[in-house]
Amino acid sequence: MSAVRRSLSHRVFATVFAVAMVVVAVFSLAGTAYVQSRLVSLAHEELDSQADVVRAALDSMPDDKFILRNLELGNTRITLIDTDGTVLYDTEAEADTMPNHASRPEVASAFANGRGDAERASTTLGEVMLYEAVLLENGTVVRLAQEQAGYLSILVGMLPPLAVLVALCAIVSLVAARRESRAIIEPLLEVDLDHPVRNVENAYTEMVPMLERIETQRQELKRQVRVLADNDRMRREFTANITHELKTPLTAISGYAELISSGMVSDEADQRDFAHRIFNEAGRLTALVNDILTLSNLDEAERDEAGSSSDSVLGTREPVDLPRTLDTVYHRLETVADVNGVTLSVKPQRAIVLGVPRLLDELVYNLASNAIRYNKPDGSVTMRCGMEDGAPFISVEDTGIGIAPEEQEKVFERFYRVDKSRSKERGGTGLGLAIVKHAAVFHDATISVDSALGEGTTITVRFPAGDQELGELF
Ligand code: ADP
């Protein structure tokens, strides 16, 4: 079912018309009440003076009935009542058919005080009968009565002009609604939604928050478009880089394999050498594929907001004992350090992080492996962990070649290497620090690089302070 679209013009019409109707109703009701009370009081005055005239006439002549029969007082009814309340004469009915009038308030009051008046509702339309009675010199009472239009009958009488007024109001409201809604809409239509803040000065005050919100959303949209464009560019670069990085070892492998299979390498020592090269290149390929997979999982975990929950594609978050992680990495890299002539040492202090063990292991491994590979002969690498200002940290310090200040941010980009040939020669994939960066982000940790060319590098990863409470679990 489609929603009924509301029109502004309709709403304005309904409001204007309703206001007009309320005004018409209030004025009609109040006006009718006023007119009716004015008519009643005028009729009272008229009856009053007519009563004086009738009394003067009756008191001055002996034959009351004769005078009354010949009196012309418009629509005023006259009744002559004897001292005991019996009706002696009535201008509109047979006197002997009428009941005793002694108890009528106006008559009783006239007998008692010489004059009396009363007012009684007569019909359903609210007509009222007005009475004025006066005592005559001979002890009888003459009563004058007049019917006066009631509240309802006046109102009913006003209906035709009221209907015309309502119709007129409807027409005026319609025209006013059309004009008003057009006038209201005009400033809204003039708003340039591409530059909403420019319109703030000319807009209605009520529109300002909306215009400001549109502007904020516009800016946010622009920012998101930029981020999307950046992401797209990075994705395309990454794909191009991966293809290139995968191709290099594959070309080497197929080249060596072709040489061997064509029988061109007959010498057994050469064959072994080529097989060894194939083995090395395959190893590089495996390392590369593993790093790409880890990064892709990290990307997925970041996109999918489960990254902040306990489960993700990378594994389950659990309390990880950092000294134990450092120890594992130490044992894996001990020989590599030896081969490179570098002294590897661990200085662990109690620290626990809520994280994914495999990722934290990879983070430490990549930092330590770089520290060994980009070191100098007889250099040293120290892995540390502990608590600093209530927050767990891991740091890897080396006495290696160092990273120039302008390179310190770039080295965390995918496939960025300061010295490409040295990286390849040392078995690097160009993805180690990118994995470190994303693994840190995944754990809400920050990374800081402290490095000087030719002197060495210290990379520190600081975890959020909340994790210290985990220490109490152990
Ligand atoms: P790679 O596989 O090439 O080591 P990484 O992403 O781990 O890739 O590192 C990127 C680049 O940063 C390296 O090629 C190297 O030039 C530089 N780098 C990383 N760690 C260190 C370090 N401890 N000392 C000096 N340079 C480093």
Side-chain angles (χ1 to χ4, degrees):
M1 207 174 83
S2 68
V4 180
R5 211 173 278 280
R6 291 184 302 169
S7 109
L8 179 66
S9 160
H10 260 115
R11 288 200 65 145
V12 178
F13 169 75
T15 311
V16 175
F17 188 61
V19 170
M21 284 305 96
V22 169
V23 172
V24 167
V26 168
F27 272 85
S28 312
L29 296 177
T32 308
Y34 175 75
V35 167
Q36 206 258 346
S37 79
R38 276 301 294 157
L39 285 177
V40 167
S41 73
L42 283 174
H44 265 303
E45 279 169 29
E46 194 188 349
L47 271 185
D48 207 36
S49 52
Q50 282 179 344
D52 286 339
V53 172
V54 172
R55 182 176 56 184
L58 294 180
D59 281 345
S60 61
M61 311 255 188
D63 190 349
D64 289 352
K65 287 184 193 168
F66 174 77
I67 294 167
L68 292 176
R69 231 174 264 126
N70 294 295
L71 258 179
E72 268 301 326
L73 286 180
N75 57 353
T76 304
R77 177 179 184 178
I78 305 170
T79 316
L80 187 65
I81 300 147
D82 206 355
T83 43
D84 59 355
T86 323
V87 176
L88 296 170
Y89 177 77
D90 188 84
T91 49
E92 285 179 18
E94 283 301 323
D96 42 12
T97 62
M98 292 175 70
N100 190 293
H101 272 41
S103 59
R104 305 285 162 100
E106 68 283 2
V107 177
S109 162
F111 278 127
N113 313 314
R115 203 171 186 104
D117 61 22
E119 202 178 300
R120 286 195 282 281
S122 70
T123 66
T124 40
L125 280 184
E127 262 87 6
V128 279
M129 282 304 286
L130 307 177
Y131 300 99
E132 187 76 32
V134 281
L135 187 64
L136 302 179
E137 279 170 0
N138 60 8
T140 57
V141 161
V142 68
R143 185 188 75 172
L144 281 73
Q146 220 181 68
E147 195 182 47
Q148 197 44 250
Y151 186 84
L152 271 179
S153 62
I154 295 177
L155 206 57
V156 169
M158 276 170 66
L159 282 182
L162 272 179
V164 174
L165 192 65
V166 168
L168 222 81
C169 281
I171 294 169
V172 171
S173 307
L174 205 68
V175 175
R178 284 249 173 93
R179 289 185 52 168
E180 248 337 273
S181 40
R182 222 172 291 145
I184 291 171
I185 285 292
E186 216 161 333
L188 290 170
L189 295 179
E190 277 170 10
V191 170
D192 174 5
L193 287 179
D194 288 332
H195 307 94
V197 275
R198 277 192 206 161
N199 303 98
V200 165
E201 277 167 28
N202 305 328
Y204 295 127
T205 328
E206 291 88 341
M207 279 167 63
V208 174
M210 183 190 77
L211 291 176
E212 284 173 351
R213 207 163 138 211
I214 293 176
E215 177 65 16
T216 325
Q217 288 184 344
R218 224 172 55 86
Q219 296 298 343
E220 174 60 14
L221 216 63
K222 263 187 172 173
R223 196 191 60 77
Q224 285 182 5
V225 167
R226 264 201 306 271
V227 169
L228 282 177
D230 279 357
N231 285 351
D232 191 47
R233 185 183 48 78
M234 274 158 61
R235 192 183 48 77
R236 272 186 277 122
E237 277 176 18
F238 186 53
T239 317
N241 278 330
I242 286 179
T243 319
H244 176 75
E245 296 288 336
L246 289 175
K247 246 183 170 172
T248 319
L250 273 176
T251 314
I253 289 171
S254 62
Y256 295 136
E258 194 185 352
L259 281 177
I260 295 171
S261 65
S262 67
M264 282 170 77
V265 191
S266 48
D267 184 55
E268 202 177 312
D270 284 348
Q271 277 184 5
R272 214 172 295 130
D273 176 43
F274 278 20
H276 185 67
R277 288 184 198 201
I278 290 175
F279 179 74
N280 279 346
E281 292 298 332
R284 271 184 56 168
L285 210 55
T286 311
L288 192 62
V289 169
N290 282 339
D291 278 358
I292 291 169
L293 272 177
T294 308
L295 260 182
S296 140
N297 285 342
L298 274 163
D299 279 346
E300 200 178 320
E302 270 169 36
R303 254 197 316 274
D304 162 21
E305 284 187 331
S308 58
S309 74
S310 56
D311 287 328
S312 75
V313 279
L314 298 156
T316 313
R317 281 181 200 248
E318 56 186 78
V320 179
D321 185 36
L322 292 185
R324 202 178 298 162
T325 307
L326 260 56
D327 208 42
T328 318
V329 172
Y330 172 82
H331 285 110
R332 280 168 62 197
L333 284 173
E334 219 178 353
T335 341
V336 183
D338 259 2
V339 171
N340 283 274
V342 171
T343 315
L344 181 64
S345 60
V346 189
K347 290 188 178 164
Q349 276 182 345
R350 214 173 124 81
I352 289 158
V353 162
L354 182 67
V356 177
R358 186 167 80 73
L359 268 187
L360 291 169
D361 184 84
E362 192 126 357
L363 183 146
V364 179
Y365 180 89
N366 284 340
L367 289 177
S369 149
N370 280 354
I372 296 168
R373 286 186 289 121
Y374 302 105
N375 219 309
K376 291 186 283 195
D378 298 326
S380 68
V381 172
T382 314
M383 296 190 281
R384 290 188 179 83
C385 70
M387 300 295 285
E388 196 181 70
D389 299 329
F393 76 91
I394 296 169
S395 81
V396 177
E397 182 187 350
D398 66 58
T399 54
I401 57 171
I403 308 167
E406 66 276 13
E407 308 276 8
Q408 285 176 10
E409 210 169 304
K410 291 188 199 155
V411 288
F412 289 95
E413 287 172 16
R414 295 166 192 205
F415 295 119
Y416 187 85
R417 291 127 164 158
V418 178
D419 180 348
K420 203 160 182 158
S421 58
R422 180 169 178 145
S423 161
K424 292 212 166 166
E425 175 199 317
R426 305 281 168 119
T429 60
L431 293 174
L433 286 185
I435 291 174
V436 168
K437 184 175 92 177
H438 286 275
V441 169
F442 183 84
H443 289 93
D444 298 321
T446 56
I447 302 175
S448 59
V449 179
D450 180 16
S451 183
L453 268 183
E455 286 176 26
T457 304
T458 304
I459 297 183
T460 310
V461 179
R462 292 185 176 83
F463 296 89
D467 289 354
Q468 63 182 321
E469 289 155 24
L470 290 164
E472 288 153 25
L473 291 170
F474 281 72

